[in-house]
Structure formats: structure tokens, C-alpha cells
Amino acid sequence: MTRDCADDLLQDTWLRIHRVRHTYRRGEPVLPWVYAIARRAKIDGYRRARRIASRETPMQQIELPAHAPRPGQLPDFETLIASLPESQREVITMLKVSGLTLEETARATSSTVGAVKQKAHRAYERLRGLLQTGENR
Amino acid sequence: MTCNHIEDALLANGKSRVWSAEHGAHLNGCKSCRRLAAVLAAASPDVEAPVQPGTLREIERVLTADLHPVRGIAPKRQFAVLLIAIFVFFAGLGVLRLGWRGLTVMTAFQASAMLGALSIGAILLAWSLANQMSPGSLHRLSPASLPIAVTITLAILAAALFRFEQEDQFWMRSWQCFRLGMPFSLLAAIPTWFALRRGAFLSPRTTGLGAGLFTGLAGALAIQIRCQNLEAAHILVSHLGMAVLASILGWILGLVIEQAGTGLRRS
């Protein structure tokens, strides 16, 4: 995502928050409410971008050098979670980077606490496998 | 202490790096867990979310202190009751219009089980829809899975309660029930739509799927009370099939709304 797209998404998110401000219920946690709206804005933004990109011809493809970890060094978090499926990556990012609780993550993703736990456990399994594979190289 | 306990602790700890003595002992002995814990502990706030968790909490505090609802949305319970009232009204309207001859041929067990299941399905869907109207609601049942679970449960129940028999003019009889019950489902959809518009459903397709099935069950209940045909395939295809079709129509409507890019509705 480019900086311009991120700025558009931010504006879109705040606009949506303003439009649906009446749906916030007193006493309910604010952060999951905001996250849920922002998440939906992100999904809609990605779909829009995909539709536009499918009609565009890329001008130039620049290959970025891969940053492989040195032998014995742990791969960085960003590299590891990039290989997770989108739903698992989203949950791990919310729990570990943004510091949301399980319930807040469930609220923000419109799913249940059990589903969030399941995704997190699957993500951990996958991360274990990736760490093991990296060590065996 | 197993690796599963470590994973549960990783979920519970959030960003904290404090481990109990038991967890610490396992980590000392398990390389896989140690590496996993080390990688997650090193999760940088710069990854995907440049905002520090502390800043997020501060934003939350400021927003909460200054948040004044403008014609705030009613509590979930009120919406659920409103939706259930819509269901009861249109199912009742169907019964008044079409009659209740079906009750004279069903056994007490069949009537209570089938009609009870239809009603419980509608109540669960009403509660789920009321939850979906406010972003960030805590769902006890997945809004995407609930309509499917309700449909499968009703299908299994119908197949268990009623017998499969050879029937003459199967499709004509099925169409008759279908065309009698569908108008009540479509009528129920109108006030349901106006009620749901008050909220902000984040996934129009999911909400459409649930709302469609909800209104479809109103018609299905009316038809089940009216219809004297207790053949299982007939009930599955025409009564339940009508509810399923309403659910599909709701999903399609949700897809159209999503494509139009108006995923969030305003009051």
C-alpha cells in the first residue's frame, strides 16, 4: 500500500466513524468499535484497489533484495507474519502489536473469542513450523 | 506444562513478557516455545501499526471522554425485541390469512418440535442481527455461520420428524406452498430492512444472509401451520426451501450494497 492510499484510507475511516457515530453504545469499549469500522474500511479499500489494479498495466516492476536472516539469527517478526494467511496475520497483529485483548480482537473482527483463539493457535503452529524450517537451512 | 499451555499464556499475556515459574521451566527446556516467545516478544509496533499501544489507549480515553451520541442507537435488546415482534406479526398474519389446518394433522410432538425450532432459529437470528448493527459488538455465535447452522438443524429436524413418501404432483404442491408463504416473507423484509438501516452492518453480505433467513422463517412458520402435507421432502423443499431462497436473496442484496461501496449505512 502506498502512502497516498494509506492517507485516503485514514480519511475514509474517519468519515465512516462520523457517519455511524450513533451506533456507539455507552459502556461498550471504544477501541474495538473503531477497529471494526477501520477494518471494514480497509477491506473495502483493498477490494477497490484490486478492481482498479486489474484494469491497469504495471509500468515497471522493481525487485527488492530479499533480506535473509544470518545463520543462527531469528527471522524478524515482519518476515514471519507476512507468510501467514490474512486472517491469522490480522489476529496476531492485533494481539501482539496493537496489544488488544482477546475480547477486543473478537469484537473488532466481528467474530467470537473462540474463533480468535483458534486462529491464534493456528498462527502459532505455523510460526513454529517456519522457525523450524529456517533453522534447518 | 505443555506447549499448548505456553500458547495459551501467549494469548493471555498480550504484550507482557512476564512468565510464571512453571512456564519459565518449560521455556528453558523447549527450544520451539522459546523461539516462538522470543519472536512474538520482539513484535515491533512499527510493523503495520506505527501507533504505539499506549497511544491507542490514550486515543480511546480521549474519544470516550468526548463522545456524545447523536440520536444514539437503541440497546441491542430493544432491537432484538423489535425484530422478534416483526417475525411474530408476519407469521401471525400468515396464519390468520392461510389458516391452521396443519395443526390438526401434526402430532403434538411434531408441532411443538418443528414450530419451536423455527421460532428459536428466528430468535437467535434476531439477536445476531441486533448485534451486527453496532460495530465492535461481541458475538457469542458467528454471524456468518449462524444462518447455515440454523438451516441445517431445521433440515435435519424435518427429516427426522416427518416421513419421506412418494407423492403425486410433488412440484405443483411444493409450488403452491411456496407461492402462498413467500409474500409474507417478502412483507416481513420491509420493516426488517428499515430496522436494520438504523445500524451500521459492516458486512452487508453476512447481514443479508441472516436477515433473509430471518424473514424467510416467518413465511415458513405460517406455511407449516397451514399445510396438511406432512411429507418430509415437501416440507424440506417448499417450506424450508422458501426460507433458504429468502436467505440467498438477502445475500445477493448485501452483495449489491457492497459493490455499490455503501457498506456502512447512516441513519
Side-chain angles (χ1 to χ4, degrees):
Chain A
M1 179 182 283
T2 63
R3 185 73 211 188
D4 289 340
C5 289
D7 288 340
D8 286 343
L9 206 54
L10 179 65
Q11 289 198 54
D12 185 34
T13 301
W14 282 112
L15 192 57
R16 289 178 186 227
I17 288 171
H18 172 72
R19 279 186 184 146
V20 301
R21 63 196 184 282
H22 66 285
T23 66
Y24 170 72
R25 290 186 167 115
R26 269 188 204 279
E28 298 276 318
V30 174
L31 209 52
W33 179 77
V34 172
Y35 250 99
I37 296 168
R39 181 177 175 268
R40 188 69 220 176
K42 184 187 83 169
I43 292 170
D44 289 343
Y46 276 154
R47 282 184 182 155
R48 227 176 354 253
R50 234 189 0 243
R51 278 200 295 272
I52 292 169
S54 67
R55 294 193 288 266
E56 288 178 342
T57 307
M59 293 292 292
Q60 185 183 6
Q61 299 247 345
I62 301 170
E63 287 211 13
L64 297 170
H67 294 286
R70 292 194 300 276
Q73 185 194 19
L74 280 178
D76 64 21
F77 182 75
E78 188 175 348
T79 309
L80 278 175
I81 67 162
S83 57
L84 294 176
E86 172 65 34
S87 58
Q88 292 175 14
R89 186 166 68 239
E90 180 180 49
V91 161
I92 293 296
T93 303
M94 281 186 178
L95 289 171
K96 291 298 166 188
V97 178
S98 303
L100 297 184
T101 63
L102 278 170
E103 185 177 308
E104 287 173 340
T105 305
R107 286 172 178 269
T109 54
S110 300
S111 66
T112 61
V113 170
V116 168
K117 277 186 183 174
Q118 199 175 43
K119 281 178 195 167
H121 278 295
R122 283 184 185 156
Y124 291 155
E125 282 304 309
R126 206 158 171 135
L127 288 174
R128 284 180 192 277
L130 287 168
L131 287 167
Q132 186 67 34
T133 307
E135 191 187 54
N136 290 343
R137 283 203 190 127
Chain B
M1 185 64 57
T2 65
C3 296
N4 278 337
H5 292 111
I6 295 296
E7 288 188 8
D8 287 339
L10 283 168
L11 280 176
N13 279 355
K15 281 189 67 64
S16 168
R17 298 180 193 185
V18 177
W19 296 100
S20 70
E22 292 86 4
H23 289 115
H26 179 89
L27 285 171
N28 284 336
C30 178
K31 191 176 183 183
S32 175
C33 286
R34 200 163 56 243
R35 288 163 65 89
L36 181 66
V39 163
L40 292 175
S44 165
D46 291 334
V47 173
E48 291 197 18
V51 182
Q52 299 276 347
T55 308
L56 283 175
R57 296 292 171 196
E58 179 62 19
I59 291 172
E60 181 182 11
R61 189 190 65 76
V62 168
L63 278 174
T64 314
D66 200 38
L67 213 57
H68 299 288
V70 178
R71 253 180 74 216
I73 197 170
K76 277 177 225 177
R77 203 163 291 173
Q78 277 190 26
F79 267 111
V81 167
L82 171 64
L83 290 171
I84 291 167
I86 291 171
F87 174 84
V88 169
F89 178 81
F90 284 97
L93 189 67
V95 170
L96 281 173
R97 191 82 178 85
L98 303 173
W100 49 83
R101 283 168 292 171
L103 289 178
T104 62
V105 294
M106 280 191 282
T107 64
F109 180 70
Q110 285 173 330
S112 53
M114 196 64 199
L115 303 181
L118 284 166
S119 304
I120 289 169
I123 290 169
L124 289 174
L125 286 165
W127 185 253
S128 177
L129 289 169
N131 257 337
Q132 289 175 55
M133 292 172 69
S134 181
S137 293
L138 185 62
H139 296 277
R140 303 286 179 198
L141 298 167
S142 165
S145 307
L146 182 62
I148 298 166
V150 166
T151 305
I152 292 173
T153 304
L154 289 171
I156 293 170
L157 192 65
L161 286 172
F162 305 101
R163 282 196 305 214
F164 288 91
E165 291 168 356
Q166 203 70 12
E167 193 187 11
D168 295 331
Q169 298 177 318
F170 174 79
W171 291 109
M172 197 172 80
R173 289 171 195 260
S174 296
W175 170 244
Q176 190 180 16
C177 277
F178 197 92
R179 69 175 180 81
L180 285 173
M182 200 62 179
F184 296 98
S185 298
L186 293 174
L187 282 172
I190 298 169
T192 303
W193 165 253
F194 280 107
L196 291 178
R197 280 193 86 236
R198 189 75 187 90
F201 35 93
L202 296 179
S203 176
R205 272 186 274 182
T206 303
T207 305
L209 190 75
L213 184 65
F214 172 74
T215 58
L217 289 182
L221 186 70
I223 282 298
Q224 188 63 41
I225 292 173
R226 177 252 175 204
C227 183
Q228 289 182 294
N229 187 344
L230 298 187
E231 203 272 312
H234 171 84
I235 291 170
L236 284 170
V237 169
S238 63
H239 303 186
L240 206 52
M242 177 179 57
V244 169
L245 179 65
S247 186
I248 293 169
L249 289 174
W251 184 86
I252 291 171
L253 181 61
L255 181 64
V256 168
I257 291 171
E258 257 179 46
Q259 296 287 341
T262 54
L264 285 178
R265 311 298 302 177
R266 57 177 161 169
S267 59

